[in-house]
Amino acid sequence: MPQALNAINDFVVKFANVNGSGSASANELFARSILRMGVPVSPRNIFPSNIQGLPTWYEVRVTEKGYLGRRGGVDLMVAMNPQTWKEDVAEIEPGGYLFYDSTKPMPSSMFREDVNVIGVPLTAICNATYTDARQRQLFKNIIYVGALSVLLDIDEKEIVRLFGEQYRGKEKLLDSNVKALALGRDWVKQHIDPASVKLKVRRADNVGDRIFVEGNNAAALGAVYGGATVCAWYPITPSSSLAEAFMAHCKKLRHDKETGQAKYAIVQAEDELASIGMVIGAGWNGARAFTATSGPGISLMTEFIGLAFFAEVPAVIVNVQRGGPSTGMPTRTQQSDLLSCAYASNGDTKHVLLFPEDPKECFDFTADALDLADRLQTPVFVMTDLDIGMNQRLCAPFAWDESRAYDRGKVMTAEELDAGKNFGRYLDVDGDGIPFRTYPGTHPTRGSFFTRGTTKDEYARYSEEGPVYVRNMERLRKKFLTAARIAPQPIRTSSPKPTRYGVIYFGSTSPAMAEALDRLNAGGNHVNALRVRSFPFSTAVEEFVHEHDRVFIVEQNRDGQLRSMLMNEFTLDARKLVPVLHYDGTPITARFIASDIEAKLQRFKVVSFEKAAS
């Protein structure tokens, strides 16, 4: 046997399965059982866009240190799919472990000499126990969880406890799953020395009060707490579960306790264009409204988004990004819609974008977006992606201040109108670019009764005069500067040693970046880091760039869209902004970030040395 990897509470397990085989629940059971032992885990489900038959993977990062991004590399591969065998085996780290179904003998050429092989005859065990074909398929997954629990020292009681929670009141299902678990455990105890596998889980206490939740579910709950009463949407991967979660939360939290009457409206529209139209109509009428979509949906919504921007109507759009262009990769993740959202629609349009890093910020930022949309009277995008939206992630518990009042912005009342207060729908009276509005029906003769998507003066009167148009556009620019001050501000992480190098990142890149920064520092490659949390960018972002010789821009798209936006918004030397790009559809890894930055830093240091020498 080759030298075996040896690690306690710090390794990566990857399951290679076939979509539709029922493996998802078993793999999640594996991850949750380790979490119940007090050891942080970060699972990621990489699945195809068809119903069944194609390859699917489930990767679990186990680390007591609490890193929640992908590390890169695989220490233990559970290879259950013959279609991807070669690629799966190639991913294993030297000295790592290959777990497979050994029912049928395989030639030695199928294995690597530097990998430890663990064969368990899963199919044979199932065939000897079950006669039903579907049972054989489903329980095979539970059997390999049982086998792995012995090899990795996962507490059997935690798995059984999870079964009990899942099948409460369904004793037959509970008993059959416990039996399948025991089949895997008993076979390994009889045929394999568990000590031969040196990756082990030891009970710890590093989970604390954190919760385990998907970003889509968190954003949906944030919409409820943020006061959304209207959701109009059209199904599209990977955002559909957000609207579905909003429905579920509303059924529990948004019915009048005495009458049972629903205090919300959820409409599945005929397409994305209709859905954003409904949201804008509801926002104009005074409701807090949102839609959930992905990149192709944004493309269809663009005309209405421009209307909301120019007519100044609040709307919230949660964009759960996926791989593009066009249909692209519906079940893969990217950060590739920045430009299409930031400058959506024709003409000089700019929109507010929020970049949550985890489910906690999905909750917070969706609620905040509803405030910002009302206050700024404009569309606000919450830019999540499939990695955050559809994967369960450990995060801080959600918190809500019950005394918090919704920020409805500048809304003029009937009393103020009766008192003779000057009302100009597009009149800036406070110098922040934000005018007053009225809700339709506020007053029988005064206030706003309709809105314009065309050019107009301060009192909403149609005008094509150049100076009038310029005044309005300059006011909108001023409003955008106001947004930069009130949107979530960037967060800086300073290097332990002085450095002239920096890195800017955002959103779902954040978990992997946390580990990458530790790796860089450990290797003597020190960088200051800035996590951007919103667009328009605050002045702190520009100052960060100016204080460094080189700034790496880490993002998950091909064209460096955040880098393009930085160059567009600020006066910067393009040579200072160094792209670090990952866009194969899988979540970025700490190893990728660290190795790319290390290689580029080395080149910069060599060039600097040569210049100094000359």
Side-chain angles (χ1 to χ4, degrees):
M1 295 282 283
Q3 183 67 36
L5 287 178
N6 189 331
I8 296 175
N9 292 351
D10 188 11
F11 52 86
V12 175
V13 179
K14 190 169 185 178
F15 298 83
N17 299 99
V18 175
N19 201 37
S21 64
S23 60
S25 58
N27 297 341
E28 182 181 328
L29 175 72
F30 172 86
R32 284 183 174 273
S33 64
I34 297 173
L35 188 65
R36 290 293 181 92
M37 292 179 67
V39 181
V41 298
S42 181
R44 279 170 172 80
N45 191 13
I46 302 170
F47 58 99
S49 56
N50 74 336
I51 296 174
Q52 64 181 19
L54 288 182
T56 182
W57 295 270
Y58 189 86
E59 184 177 295
V60 183
R61 178 70 192 284
V62 180
T63 169
E64 193 171 346
K65 294 179 181 178
Y67 295 129
L68 298 178
R70 292 181 71 212
R71 183 198 69 187
V74 176
D75 301 317
L76 168 61
M77 177 66 74
V78 182
M80 304 299 294
N81 186 358
Q83 298 175 27
T84 60
W85 175 275
K86 184 177 179 180
E87 294 83 359
D88 296 332
V89 171
E91 277 195 74
I92 305 171
E93 298 281 289
Y97 303 85
L98 170 64
F99 180 103
Y100 79 108
D101 182 352
S102 61
T103 300
K104 293 183 179 179
M106 298 180 69
S108 59
S109 60
M110 299 291 287
F111 302 98
R112 280 171 47 188
E113 293 183 357
D114 62 343
V115 166
N116 300 279
V117 178
I118 306 160
V120 177
L122 300 169
T123 300
I125 296 171
C126 284
N127 290 346
T129 310
Y130 306 103
T131 56
D132 181 77
R134 185 58 177 164
Q135 281 189 328
R136 286 175 172 176
Q137 182 183 53
L138 293 176
F139 286 124
K140 182 194 290 187
N141 304 317
I142 302 301
I143 291 170
Y144 71 60
V145 171
L148 291 169
S149 70
V150 175
L151 296 171
L152 302 178
D153 280 355
I154 299 172
D155 192 338
E156 176 189 13
K157 295 177 183 177
E158 298 294 356
I159 304 176
V160 173
R161 190 174 291 117
L162 286 166
F163 280 144
E165 295 171 5
Q166 183 176 358
Y167 300 115
R168 186 175 289 116
K170 301 176 181 178
E171 301 305 321
K172 188 175 181 180
L173 287 173
L174 172 61
D175 292 343
S176 59
N177 277 275
V178 171
K179 177 183 176 181
L181 184 77
L183 287 172
R185 290 182 60 84
D186 291 344
W187 193 94
V188 169
K189 289 177 181 178
Q190 295 168 20
H191 298 89
I192 300 176
D193 178 9
S196 63
V197 176
K198 302 184 184 304
L199 304 178
K200 301 296 181 182
V201 180
R202 294 286 182 268
R203 191 170 289 277
D205 187 20
N206 203 29
V207 174
D209 64 349
R210 286 183 289 179
I211 60 176
F212 199 50
V213 64
E214 292 179 347
N216 281 354
N217 193 359
L221 191 60
V224 173
Y225 274 79
T229 56
V230 176
C231 171
W233 66 295
Y234 184 79
I236 182 172
T237 302
S239 70
S240 295
S241 63
L242 198 162
E244 292 163 355
F246 183 73
M247 286 186 224
H249 291 312
C250 283
K251 286 179 180 178
K252 292 181 180 179
L253 303 172
R254 281 285 177 79
H255 282 264
D256 186 277
K257 293 182 179 179
E258 295 182 359
T259 66
Q261 184 177 6
K263 297 181 177 181
Y264 59 92
I266 300 173
V267 183
Q268 182 176 321
E270 62 266 34
D271 54 32
E272 286 90 350
L273 184 60
S275 67
I276 189 62
M278 293 174 185
V279 168
I280 294 168
W284 175 76
N285 205 43
R288 290 196 151 186
F290 79 99
T291 188
T293 189
S294 193
I298 296 294
S299 297
L300 292 171
M301 294 178 182
T302 299
E303 183 178 358
F304 261 148
I305 292 169
L307 169 66
F309 170 81
F310 204 46
E312 298 182 62
V313 178
V316 170
I317 303 161
V318 184
N319 181 2
V320 190
Q321 298 168 89
R322 70 190 209 186
S326 186
T327 304
M329 297 188 291
T331 59
R332 296 290 189 266
T333 194
Q334 279 188 357
Q335 296 173 316
S336 54
D337 295 345
L338 273 66
L339 291 173
S340 64
C341 290
Y343 307 109
S345 195
N346 57 300
D348 293 324
T349 53
K350 288 184 181 180
H351 304 292
V352 178
L353 314 182
L354 307 184
F355 304 120
E357 70 165 349
D358 64 4
K360 171 66 164 60
E361 285 194 342
C362 285
F363 173 84
D364 292 340
F365 284 11
T366 304
D368 291 345
L370 291 158
D371 273 352
L372 286 168
D374 269 354
R375 183 172 174 183
L376 294 165
Q377 300 173 32
T378 198
V380 175
F381 293 80
V382 181
M383 303 293 288
T384 76
D385 55 39
L386 185 147
D387 185 26
I388 302 176
M390 294 191 71
N391 285 312
Q392 292 180 315
R393 191 81 55 78
L394 272 178
C395 67
F398 305 155
W400 188 260
D401 182 355
E402 294 296 337
S403 65
R404 172 174 169 174
Y406 299 143
D407 186 349
R408 301 309 300 258
K410 298 180 182 180
V411 181
M412 201 169 287
T413 65
E415 291 75 17
E416 290 173 318
L417 291 169
D418 275 333
K421 193 167 183 178
N422 183 23
F423 176 73
R425 177 63 188 93
Y426 300 105
L427 179 66
D428 182 7
V429 297
D430 297 319
D432 59 4
I434 306 171
F436 274 86
R437 63 174 174 147
T438 58
Y439 300 136
T442 293
H443 194 281
T445 59
R446 298 170 184 161
S448 292
F449 288 85
F450 66 95
T451 192
R452 290 190 187 276
T454 57
T455 57
K456 60 269 180 181
D457 69 7
E458 289 82 353
Y459 293 90
R461 294 173 300 210
Y462 181 78
S463 173
E464 293 186 11
E465 296 180 14
V468 172
Y469 174 78
V470 169
R471 285 202 307 270
N472 192 47
M473 294 301 289
E474 287 301 310
R475 180 184 58 78
L476 289 171
R477 187 204 300 272
K478 189 181 294 183
K479 184 166 75 169
F480 197 68
L481 296 175
T482 298
R485 294 193 297 272
I486 66 176
Q489 298 299 294
I491 295 177
R492 177 170 178 148
T493 303
S494 295
S495 167
K497 293 185 179 181
T499 178
R500 296 296 301 168
Y501 297 100
V503 59
I504 291 177
Y505 62 101
F506 66 100
S508 64
T509 301
S510 183
M513 179 60 72
E515 182 175 3
L517 290 173
D518 285 349
R519 286 175 174 267
L520 288 166
N521 285 328
N525 295 295
H526 301 294
V527 294
N528 295 318
L530 190 75
R531 178 164 72 91
V532 173
R533 300 199 297 163
S534 64
F535 175 79
F537 306 123
S538 74
T539 55
V541 178
E542 183 178 20
E543 291 167 358
F544 182 86
V545 174
H546 284 314
E547 71 179 73
H548 294 94
D549 293 338
R550 290 284 195 281
V551 177
F552 301 98
I553 313 298
V554 182
E555 46 189 318
Q556 298 181 69
N557 57 69
R558 186 196 68 180
D559 293 340
Q561 294 186 25
L562 182 68
R563 180 176 181 271
S564 296
M565 290 166 64
L566 288 166
M567 292 171 59
N568 187 56
E569 299 298 321
F570 300 128
T571 303
L572 302 172
D573 182 350
R575 293 170 298 181
K576 291 185 69 170
L577 302 181
V578 183
V580 176
L581 307 175
H582 180 277
Y583 51 91
D584 67 0
T586 62
I588 198 168
T589 69
R591 285 185 180 178
F592 175 87
I593 297 171
S595 62
D596 196 296
I597 291 177
E598 284 170 352
K600 288 175 170 132
L601 274 174
Q602 197 60 36
R603 290 202 298 271
F604 295 146
K605 290 175 181 177
V606 168
V607 170
S608 297
F609 176 79
E610 290 175 348
K611 284 183 178 179
S614 62

